[in-house]
Amino acid sequence: MRKILLALTALAGLSLAQPADAQVALGNTGLEASITGTVASDYLFRGISQTRSRIATQANVELAHSSGFYIGGFISNVRFLGTDARQEVDLFGGYRFTVAGLKLDLGGIWYTYPGYDRPAGAYGLNYAEAQIKASYEIGPVNLLGQFNYSPNYFGSSGNGFYAEAGADWKTGIFELTLGGRIGYQWIERNVRFGTPDYAWWSVAISREFAIPGIGTITAAVGYYDTSIRRGDCAGGQDICAARALGSLSFKF
């Protein structure tokens, strides 16, 4: 079963629990480096646990240019039933720009699982996705959307299409942000992936706390669920079931 990053990934799936990032200008090159870190009660990718309900520790590094181009990487622990995969390392890149207030992000992600010992006759785990993301702010509300396509999704499961929409609302109450997401994953070869096509959704709330001289910590908690029944979830696992997710994101 399977993951996201960041977000660009990387840490998709965590909605409001996505890690905060710190940006450091690199001289007069137009480049900025950002480093993110997250500790979470689980690693959810599109509503499905990638750690089989265990704690996740993650890091994301990105190098962005003032022109809009960026590259980066994401790492997290994972734990898939029946495999020895224990970490996920993603590489991503793309181009960000704004048109009439609409922020667009065109990019790609390469998901890898170094250290995975693929048994004879088993399917590979690595895969690539093309991605487009968009956001638009209306007062205190940020509207979000994205679409991803993979020509050979996780587990060699064929064409994978993914669509997501959501919104974040800066409530103005105790500096809390309330957000919601809903997404749908289409998979060509469902048997290989381990689930039918499915929807997932979440509602989460977060708050940022300043740490003088260090940076900030963002605390988040949310509720996540999918449309997948227990019997249809990767051999009857509970990784697709409803759950609460808590996280601490570190901004240095």
Side-chain angles (χ1 to χ4, degrees):
M1 286 302 330
R2 224 358 251 117
K3 173 194 168 210
I4 147 280
L5 173 224
L6 204 191
L8 232 191
T9 88
L11 295 168
L14 292 183
S15 292
L16 284 177
Q18 291 175 4
D21 65 288
Q23 294 183 333
V24 179
L26 303 180
N28 297 318
T29 63
L31 294 170
E32 287 187 335
S34 64
I35 301 175
T36 71
T38 294
V39 177
S41 59
D42 202 341
Y43 174 17
L44 298 183
F45 181 72
R46 299 174 187 172
I48 298 177
S49 175
Q50 307 299 290
T51 52
R52 290 163 62 193
S53 305
R54 292 170 171 82
I55 291 175
T57 56
Q58 303 166 332
N60 192 90
V61 177
E62 181 180 297
L63 186 64
H65 190 263
S66 56
S67 63
F69 289 99
Y70 66 90
I71 58 173
F74 167 81
I75 185 170
S76 176
N77 59 301
V78 296
R79 192 178 184 90
F80 304 132
L81 183 65
T83 81
D84 61 357
R86 291 296 178 265
Q87 56 272 328
E88 173 186 333
V89 178
D90 304 337
L91 301 176
F92 59 86
Y95 178 65
R96 299 185 182 112
F97 59 101
T98 301
V99 178
L102 179 66
K103 296 180 180 179
L104 295 169
D105 184 339
L106 307 178
I109 310 168
W110 175 240
Y111 302 89
T112 73
Y113 302 86
Y116 167 58
D117 184 15
R118 177 178 174 181
Y123 299 114
L125 302 183
N126 298 352
Y127 69 100
E129 278 191 330
Q131 174 177 262
I132 179 171
K133 300 176 74 175
S135 65
Y136 190 82
E137 292 186 13
I138 302 176
V141 177
N142 190 28
L143 302 177
L144 307 164
Q146 76 176 69
F147 179 80
N148 295 58
Y149 167 69
S150 173
N152 196 18
Y153 196 50
F154 180 83
S156 300
S157 54
N159 290 311
F161 299 89
Y162 176 71
E164 179 181 315
D168 291 335
W169 171 39
K170 296 179 180 178
T171 66
I173 303 173
F174 302 116
E175 300 181 44
L176 295 174
T177 297
L178 177 65
R181 302 286 188 276
I182 183 168
Y184 197 90
Q185 178 72 60
W186 292 267
I187 306 153
E188 182 180 6
R189 302 186 183 103
N190 299 96
V191 173
R192 290 189 185 180
F193 181 72
T195 78
D197 297 349
Y198 71 96
W200 77 274
W201 51 90
S202 71
V203 177
I205 193 163
S206 67
R207 190 186 190 284
E208 187 175 273
F209 300 88
I211 309 298
I214 299 177
T216 61
I217 294 178
T218 300
V221 63
Y223 171 83
Y224 297 74
D225 200 1
T226 78
S227 62
I228 304 170
R229 298 180 301 176
R230 174 72 178 261
D232 293 329
C233 181
Q237 298 182 73
D238 65 355
I239 59 175
C240 308
R243 68 196 62 215
L245 174 70
S247 71
L248 287 175
S249 299
F250 301 88
K251 178 180 179 180
F252 305 100

